[in-house]
């Protein structure tokens, strides 16, 4: 191989590495040891351009695994939750449906109980002393009145810049578990609109 070809090849490789390293993402710091009933912090950084808020949604791992299995049936992948109102009552939810958006345009519904060990918090992103865009969330009694119990947990950490916060709303987000993308709650009539697609990081941790 000639020197010229070697130089060109090296430049191409360096360019590809640069593209990979420049990809916008979310990084979450190691969770460490967490004891049942205690407060704990979730910290991390992001390279997403113009990110304003980070959403953190915590599920019991068993619940999330069942959600993923349901979402992936027939290669659908997309799932969200919809509150079920009692007959003639559009205000007070009496349950929740897990809605799968199938590739043929149909929707499938499965009634589920909201797990007790579930929490959703949205925190601002700030530039730290080193210039990194960082976020911190303390999971305390303001986030969840009853502390998390022992067990394994799955956590979705995503760009919530477009999310509209609705206190008391149960699981407002949509997820594409195949593409690994988040679709935060917005006023868009079509939650799956590509412009509503946000970066998503999966994290698992254990409370002992």
């Amino acid at each position: 191989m000639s020197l010229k070809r070697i130089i060109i090849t090296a430049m191409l490789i360096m360019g590809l590495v640069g593209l990979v390293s420049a990809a916008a993402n979310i990084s979450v710091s190691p969770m460490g040891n967490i004891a049942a009933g205690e407060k704990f912090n979730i910290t991390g950084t992001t390279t997403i351009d113009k990110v304003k808020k980070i959403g953190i949604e915590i599920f019991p791992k068993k619940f999330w695994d069942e959600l993923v299995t349901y979402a992936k049936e027939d290669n659908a992948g997309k799932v969200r939750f919809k509150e079920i109102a009692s007959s003639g009552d559009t205000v007070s939810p009496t349950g929740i449906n897990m809605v799968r958006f199938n590739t043929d345009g149909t929707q499938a519904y499965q009634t589920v109980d909201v797990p007790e060990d579930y929490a959703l918090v949205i925190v601002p992103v700030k530039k730290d002393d080193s210039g990194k865009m960082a976020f911190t969330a303390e999971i305390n009694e303001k986030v969840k009145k009853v502390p998390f119990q022992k067990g394994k947990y799955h956590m979705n950490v995503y760009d919530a810049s477009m999310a509209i916060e609705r206190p008391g709303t149960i699981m407002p987000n949509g997820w594409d578990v195949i593409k690994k993308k988040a679709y935060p709650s917005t006023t868009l009539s079509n939650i799956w609109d590509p412009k509503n697609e946000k970066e998503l990081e999966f994290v698992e941790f254990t409370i002992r």
Side-chain angles (χ1 to χ4, degrees):
M1 183 180 292
S2 68
L3 179 60
K4 183 178 180 180
R5 183 172 294 181
I6 292 173
I7 292 172
I8 292 173
T9 303
M11 290 177 67
L12 285 171
I13 293 172
M14 289 172 65
L16 289 172
V17 171
L19 285 173
V20 171
S21 62
N25 59 26
I26 299 169
S27 298
V28 180
S29 304
M31 301 288 290
N33 294 320
I34 305 172
E38 73 175 10
K39 302 175 185 178
F40 58 94
N41 290 326
I42 299 165
T43 62
T45 60
T46 179
T47 59
I48 299 173
D49 186 38
K50 297 180 181 179
V51 64
K52 296 178 181 178
K53 298 182 290 185
I54 289 290
I56 297 168
E57 193 160 18
I58 302 172
F59 303 84
K61 178 171 167 46
K62 183 176 183 294
F63 182 90
W64 177 258
D65 288 347
E66 291 173 353
L67 178 155
V68 169
T69 298
Y70 181 70
K72 285 184 175 180
E73 286 183 20
D74 299 320
N75 296 314
K78 295 178 179 177
V79 66
R80 68 173 299 187
F81 294 87
K82 183 178 182 181
E83 294 178 2
I84 305 171
S86 58
S87 179
D89 183 357
T90 59
V91 178
S92 301
T94 57
I96 193 166
N97 263 335
M98 185 159 56
V99 186
R100 185 179 70 236
F101 292 74
N102 301 317
T103 54
D104 63 1
T106 62
Q107 296 178 20
Y109 299 82
Q110 180 173 309
T111 303
V112 296
D113 293 324
V114 178
E116 292 183 1
D117 277 337
Y118 164 83
L120 170 64
V121 60
I122 296 176
V123 295
V125 174
K126 300 178 180 179
K127 187 172 290 187
D128 66 14
D129 295 338
S130 67
K132 291 182 179 179
M133 299 298 291
F135 60 89
T136 299
E138 182 181 71
I139 307 302
N140 53 31
E141 64 279 357
K142 292 181 180 179
V143 174
K144 191 174 183 300
K145 292 182 180 179
V146 179
F148 279 97
Q149 302 305 304
K150 294 180 180 179
K152 294 182 178 180
Y153 291 88
H154 172 92
M155 181 167 65
N156 290 336
V157 185
Y158 59 96
D159 176 2
S161 297
M162 292 177 62
I164 297 173
E165 297 183 56
R166 298 183 176 93
T169 300
I170 302 172
M171 302 181 187
N173 303 311
W175 310 105
D176 188 328
V177 300
I178 294 177
K179 292 175 64 178
K180 196 176 176 182
K181 298 291 182 180
Y183 296 80
S185 172
T186 73
T187 57
L188 294 173
S189 59
N190 177 15
I191 190 172
W192 306 113
D193 191 308
K195 66 183 179 183
N196 193 25
E197 184 179 283
K198 294 295 181 181
E199 295 301 318
L200 171 65
E201 180 65 21
F202 288 172
V203 179
E204 291 186 355
F205 65 96
T206 301
I207 294 180
R208 305 185 185 284

